[in-house]
Amino acid sequence: SSLKLLLLCAGIASMMFGNWFNVRTEVVGICENNTVFHEYYHKHCPNATVYKDMRALNAGLHDGSVPYFHTDIIECTAPCPGRTSLRWHNNRQNDSALDKDLDLFLLTPDIVDVLHPAYVICEMTPEHDEVAPDYDTLVKLMKERGYIAHVHKRLGAFEAGDATSRFRYFAIFIHGSIPRAQQFNLNAYLPGVGPNMDTMLDKPSTLSDQPHLWVTDRFITREGADIV
C-alpha cells in the first residue's frame, strides 16, 4: 500500500510524482498560498485536498474546523527568503518584508500534534552565522514529540541525483515507534552523482527571438573545456 503524504508550502510539489521514482506515496493534502499552482495540483492529484494557507490549516486542525485526516508523511519546504544567506549578501538584513513567513518553518510541529505522522521531512536553505537558531529549535521541538532526528545540514542536489549543484538543509524525523528509526541512513538511497546537464539544455540560439544575434553555439570555458 502507499504512504499517505501531506505537502506543506508545496510549490511545484515534485513529491506528487513519487511513483516515477518507485516511491510508494499517495498525496492526500497539498498546502500552498500561491493559487497559480492549484490547477496543476488538481490535474496531477485529483483526490488530494488543496489548502491555501498553512496557518489557517494549522488553526483549523486544532479547532476542528478542518477535519482530521490520516497522513503517514508530512513534508514542509517553508519559504526561505528570511533565512537564506542571500538576504545578507544583498544587504537586506533589515528588510522586514522578508520576515513575513519566518514562522512557517517552525509551524510543522504544531500540525504534527494533530496528525501524528510517522515521518516528517523539513527543508530549508543551509544554516549560517547570521541566521537565528531556528534549525536547532525545530529539532528540539520534534524530539519533544517523540521523533528521532536525522539531520543533513548541507545536502547536495547533485549527490542526490540532480543535474544542479545546490545545497539544502534537510531534517528527516522518524517517530520512535517505527522499527529501526534510529538506523535510518539517507546516504544509502543517494546515487552520489547526478546526470550531465548538457543533455538537458537547449542551445542558446534556440532561446532568442533574434537568433541572428548568436555567433556560435560552441564556447570555450575559462578552464579550457569545450561546450557545444
Side-chain angles (χ1 to χ4, degrees):
S1 61
S2 297
L3 295 172
K4 311 299 183 184
L5 174 64
L6 168 64
L7 301 175
L8 301 175
C9 305
I12 63 171
S14 57
M15 279 294 285
M16 290 195 301
F17 308 108
N19 289 334
W20 291 5
F21 307 99
N22 297 316
V23 178
R24 296 180 296 103
T25 55
E26 175 191 349
V27 179
V28 295
I30 308 177
C31 186
E32 170 60 52
N33 71 347
N34 187 344
T35 57
V36 170
F37 289 111
H38 288 194
E39 181 179 353
Y40 169 75
Y41 301 155
H42 289 304
K43 176 181 178 181
H44 294 288
C45 288
N47 297 323
T49 303
V50 178
Y51 304 95
K52 288 181 58 176
D53 184 87
M54 184 172 169
R55 299 179 189 91
L57 173 61
N58 177 56
L61 286 169
H62 279 271
D63 68 21
S65 59
V66 174
Y68 169 86
F69 57 92
H70 173 73
T71 183
D72 300 295
I73 308 170
I74 291 178
E75 181 193 34
C76 181
T77 54
C80 66
R83 292 182 176 84
T84 176
S85 59
L86 287 175
R87 176 177 185 171
W88 283 263
H89 288 312
N90 294 331
N91 199 31
R92 296 184 65 188
Q93 58 268 31
N94 297 320
D95 186 349
S96 60
L98 299 179
D99 295 331
K100 66 183 183 69
D101 291 324
L102 281 178
D103 61 311
L104 298 183
F105 183 55
L106 296 179
L107 199 59
T108 300
D110 287 351
I111 294 176
V112 166
D113 283 340
V114 179
L115 298 181
H116 305 292
Y119 309 94
V120 179
I121 304 168
C122 294
E123 176 192 354
M124 180 50 64
T125 48
E127 190 173 12
H128 54 91
D129 291 340
E130 303 294 340
V131 76
D134 296 338
Y135 300 75
D136 290 340
T137 301
L138 175 68
V139 173
K140 176 177 179 290
L141 290 171
M142 292 302 293
K143 285 184 174 179
E144 289 174 353
R145 288 159 170 79
Y147 287 81
I148 308 301
H150 301 272
V151 176
H152 297 259
K153 293 188 174 182
R154 290 183 63 85
L155 183 64
F158 181 72
E159 289 74 20
D162 195 24
T164 61
S165 179
R166 299 174 296 118
F167 293 90
R168 290 290 185 272
Y169 168 94
F170 263 85
I172 301 169
F173 302 101
I174 304 176
H175 196 268
S177 63
I178 302 299
R180 300 188 298 279
Q182 296 272 8
Q183 283 74 51
F184 176 76
N185 178 15
L186 180 62
N187 292 324
Y189 301 91
L190 302 181
V193 295
N196 192 315
M197 180 61 84
D198 287 352
T199 60
M200 305 181 191
L201 296 176
D202 293 319
K203 291 182 180 300
S205 58
T206 67
L207 302 179
S208 172
D209 58 357
Q210 302 182 58
H212 65 280
L213 296 179
W214 291 98
V215 177
T216 181
D217 281 321
R218 182 181 292 274
F219 302 91
I220 303 298
T221 68
R222 183 174 59 185
E223 292 79 14
D226 190 21
I227 300 178
V228 178

